[in-house]
Amino acid sequence: MSRAQLARFAVFLVGASAFVAVFLRWGWSVTGVALMIGVWVVFSILAAWVFRRLASADERRADLEDRVRNPPP
């Protein structure tokens, strides 16, 4: 696993922790759901940005090829 992939995973873990913290604080209220969606969007964008900044062109191409050949179910 490369440095870029590890950084993307670390950002994902921080985002997941923030998501759980928001849920534990606000629950299923309208504010809580809006904040959870916001946290998910912000940390997803941040993880993609970190990966693009740290990965080489070949690594980005390999990641894209892997996503095309193995789409999620």
Side-chain angles (χ1 to χ4, degrees), residues 42-72:
V42 167
F43 278 95
S44 294
I45 291 170
L46 183 62
W49 180 79
V50 165
F51 180 76
R52 280 194 317 268
R53 295 284 292 168
L54 294 176
S56 66
D58 289 336
E59 192 173 4
R60 287 191 302 261
R61 184 181 46 77
D63 183 63
L64 180 60
E65 284 178 4
D66 182 54
R67 290 171 187 255
V68 169
R69 289 190 177 141
N70 303 309

Side-chain angles (χ1 to χ4, degrees), residues 14-44:
V14 171
S17 299
F19 187 91
V20 169
V22 167
F23 175 74
L24 291 175
R25 170 65 178 95
W26 295 95
W28 288 111
S29 66
V30 173
T31 305
V33 171
L35 286 173
M36 286 186 282
I37 291 170
V39 163
W40 177 68
V41 168
V42 167
F43 278 95
S44 294

